[in-house]
Amino acid sequence: MELQHFHDYFEENREKHLQELFEFLSIPSISSLSEHKQDVERAAQWLKNQLEQLNIENVSIDPTAGHPVVYGEWLHAEGKPTVLFYGHYDVQPVDPLNLWETEPFKPEIRENKLYARGASDDKGQVFMQLKAIEALFATLGTLPVNVKFLYEGEEEIGSAHLPAYIEENKEKLSADFVLISDTSMYGPGKPAICYGLRGLAGIQIDVRGANSDLHSGLYGGGVQNAIHALVEILSSFRDKNGKILVEGFYDDVRPLTEEERKAFADLQFDEEALKKELGVDELFGEEGYSFLERTWARPTLEINGIFGGFSGEGIKTVLPNEAGAKITCRLVPDQDPDKIVALLRRHIEKHTPKGVTVSVNEFDNGAPYLTPFDHPLIKAASRSYEKVYQVPAAFTRGGGSIPIVATFDQILKVPVVLMGFGLSTENFHAPNEHFHLENFDKGLRVLCDYLCEVSKLSL
């Protein structure tokens, strides 16, 4: 099928599609706020209706211990690959509301950008998957591949109940690969295929000294200060160049290949421009690695917050008896979050000063993920991007974490292809979230072409 046929279809139906997207974006499906529980369910019902209108079969709203999952399938492309579409229909809260130029759930187009909560993350991109299927049916009379759909309502609160759903339904969800549109392009007019994500391991350290705060004049110099003890522990984690000093931390790190390092270098990332944008004199990190390599393919250990003692106006001369810190580590293939937490516990125990006790509590845990960027599915995605955008697609890794991606890998044991159409500047999770309609228009055509490309592969 010529790309022009898809182009013509989307041109003819653009206003209709935008009005439908406006309906979807108008539903305040904020998963973290209990008062929006019915709105989340309304968004699930809206998706169910859309799938049924597309003649997708076995469409259902499946309950979980939290918000529901929407499922559907069409399996009549005999001998062709099966793709499992994944996305989420829940959105972030809108606070602070006063910073929005227009109401977050009243979509508005300004300067060819669609403003609304969820426009880019992820309702707009989920909607594109549906409309690509609609266009294929309309232009081909059928689909070139088999399709399944899995849309959840808890991504913005950590997908707490989705892994159990996937485990319980892994036969129903079986596919040749998972396709996700919930990532960003490299920049305006620069499509990107994200082939890897870092994992996550987080802990909270709580330090306790005496049984109460103490007068610094009566006890200072004679009793351990919980904050000083905490600082000593924290300073033991890294050297002055950012190298992590936890014994065994790097043991399982998969090194970058020379091909990957060249691909990153070819992106010609402007570190000087980044320094200016951030208002810093120097960037920081492991010696011997570029900024992209540090943030995409090297592990980290960061202090996210410190608490303890007196921080009000003026001064209070006490020895704090309690202090704490929150730590997160971004992990890379083949690091295991549970092993990293165990190494952190051992390191903290080894470096705890006398006079205090320390407890460590674990939170936020997700494995890293990597699909080889020479995989046929990745190469096919690159071809489709280039056909539409007329420039080669960049191969990138994501510095952040999408834990559910690793869940798909571990339970379904299939590749995950991340084909996003957002831009990092589109204010997702912030006021005035928006989606560039240029990428909405082009992305629809990319998705159609990609499914046709995939139909030619032997997987």
Side-chain angles (χ1 to χ4, degrees):
M1 169 65 68
E2 289 291 330
L3 199 58
Q4 186 63 41
H5 290 90
F6 302 132
H7 178 84
D8 292 343
Y9 180 80
F10 289 122
E11 281 285 301
E12 292 167 7
N13 290 275
R14 189 174 192 265
E15 290 307 313
K16 173 179 172 288
H17 288 164
L18 286 175
Q19 287 305 310
E20 291 175 349
L21 179 53
F22 276 31
E23 289 178 15
F24 193 24
L25 294 172
S26 297
I27 304 172
S29 50
I30 303 171
S31 54
S32 62
L33 301 178
S34 58
E35 60 262 36
H36 286 284
K37 184 175 186 295
Q38 289 186 336
D39 295 315
V40 175
E41 292 171 356
R42 274 206 299 138
Q45 185 64 51
W46 191 93
L47 279 173
K48 179 176 183 287
N49 294 343
Q50 284 283 313
L51 289 171
E52 288 173 340
Q53 289 170 23
L54 291 173
N55 293 319
I56 301 303
E57 299 167 351
N58 299 318
V59 180
S60 61
I61 297 178
D62 298 342
T64 72
H67 296 305
V69 163
V70 181
Y71 176 81
E73 62 186 27
W74 185 92
L75 305 174
H76 302 293
E78 188 175 349
K80 297 297 184 181
T82 299
V83 53
L84 173 63
F85 286 100
Y86 164 82
H88 64 93
Y89 61 87
D90 65 320
V91 298
Q92 283 277 329
V94 298
D95 313 84
L97 189 59
N98 64 298
L99 295 183
W100 285 80
E101 294 180 21
T102 52
E103 293 186 40
F105 296 108
K106 288 189 176 178
E108 182 176 300
I109 295 174
R110 302 195 302 273
E111 298 178 345
N112 206 35
K113 295 178 231 179
L114 174 56
Y115 285 81
R117 172 59 87 227
S120 181
D121 180 23
D122 180 37
K123 284 183 176 179
Q125 300 197 61
V126 163
F127 183 81
M128 290 167 65
Q129 294 179 346
L130 300 178
K131 294 302 115 173
I133 295 299
E134 177 185 295
L136 287 164
F137 271 129
T139 54
L140 302 178
T142 187
L143 297 181
V145 293
N146 300 294
V147 295
K148 297 180 179 181
F149 299 87
L150 175 63
Y151 293 133
E152 69 156 319
E154 295 189 323
E155 195 273 347
E156 299 292 8
I157 52 174
S159 301
H161 302 102
L162 192 60
Y165 177 87
I166 295 172
E167 183 67 49
E168 291 165 7
N169 295 277
K170 57 186 176 184
E171 288 189 20
K172 181 169 81 169
L173 298 172
S174 63
D176 291 294
F177 72 103
V178 180
L179 180 59
I180 300 176
S181 297
D182 191 17
T183 49
S184 297
M185 307 207 309
Y186 187 61
K190 298 178 180 177
I193 301 154
C194 181
Y195 68 95
L197 296 164
R198 291 195 289 191
L200 185 68
I203 61 169
Q204 179 170 314
I205 305 170
D206 292 292
V207 178
R208 185 173 178 87
N211 55 15
S212 68
D213 288 354
L214 301 175
H215 190 289
S216 67
L218 297 176
Y219 296 96
V223 177
Q224 181 64 273
N225 181 318
I227 292 180
H228 280 290
L230 175 65
V231 168
E232 187 173 332
I233 293 169
L234 297 180
S235 66
S236 72
F237 281 130
R238 303 193 321 192
D239 70 12
K240 64 179 182 179
N241 295 314
K243 181 180 178 181
I244 297 164
L245 302 176
V246 175
E247 186 176 350
F249 190 89
Y250 293 104
D251 285 358
D252 299 323
V253 170
R254 189 187 307 181
L256 278 163
T257 66
E258 287 305 313
E259 188 178 8
E260 286 178 300
R261 299 194 81 167
K262 182 180 183 306
F264 290 4
D266 287 345
L267 294 174
Q268 298 181 337
F269 182 80
D270 191 339
E271 294 191 3
E272 291 301 318
L274 178 64
K275 287 191 284 187
K276 185 176 180 180
E277 176 188 341
L278 299 179
V280 297
D281 294 331
E282 292 293 337
L283 299 177
F284 174 81
E286 269 187 286
E287 292 182 313
Y289 296 94
S290 69
F291 176 81
L292 291 185
E293 290 169 345
R294 291 170 184 164
T295 56
W296 287 356
R298 296 296 295 172
T300 68
L301 188 156
E302 299 288 351
I303 301 166
N304 304 124
I306 298 178
F307 45 93
F310 177 73
S311 58
E313 185 177 354
I315 192 166
K316 184 180 181 184
T317 54
V318 296
L319 301 183
N321 73 316
E322 293 181 334
K326 294 180 185 291
I327 307 289
T328 52
C329 300
R330 298 289 177 173
L331 309 179
V332 300
D334 299 286
Q335 290 181 299
D336 176 74
D338 292 333
K339 179 178 179 180
I340 292 299
V341 170
L343 294 175
L344 293 175
R345 289 182 184 276
R346 189 184 312 159
H347 179 92
I348 291 165
E349 183 179 346
K350 181 179 178 181
H351 289 84
T352 296
K354 294 179 181 178
V356 295
T357 57
V358 176
S359 61
V360 177
N361 293 303
E362 180 180 351
F363 63 94
D364 284 349
N365 187 315
Y369 177 76
L370 190 69
T371 296
F373 75 99
D374 58 355
H375 192 286
L377 287 165
I378 299 292
K379 292 296 187 184
S382 175
R383 291 193 297 273
S384 294
Y385 270 122
E386 188 167 353
K387 277 185 197 175
V388 175
Y389 280 88
Q390 297 295 298
V391 294
F395 295 103
T396 67
R397 293 203 204 180
S401 307
I402 306 178
I404 201 63
V405 171
T407 301
F408 283 125
D409 177 43
Q410 293 163 352
I411 298 177
L412 299 184
K413 302 187 185 307
V414 294
V416 179
V417 178
L418 299 163
M419 293 181 71
F421 302 95
L423 293 174
S424 61
T425 57
E426 289 178 335
N427 288 24
F428 28 80
H429 293 205
N432 302 308
E433 179 180 350
H434 56 278
F435 192 17
H436 285 69
L437 290 179
E438 176 189 1
N439 293 324
F440 173 78
D441 294 330
K442 289 183 176 178
L444 288 165
R445 294 149 177 78
V446 171
L447 288 171
C448 288
D449 187 78
Y450 180 58
L451 295 178
C452 292
E453 284 281 338
V454 167
S455 72
K456 304 170 188 174
L457 302 178
S458 298
L459 300 176

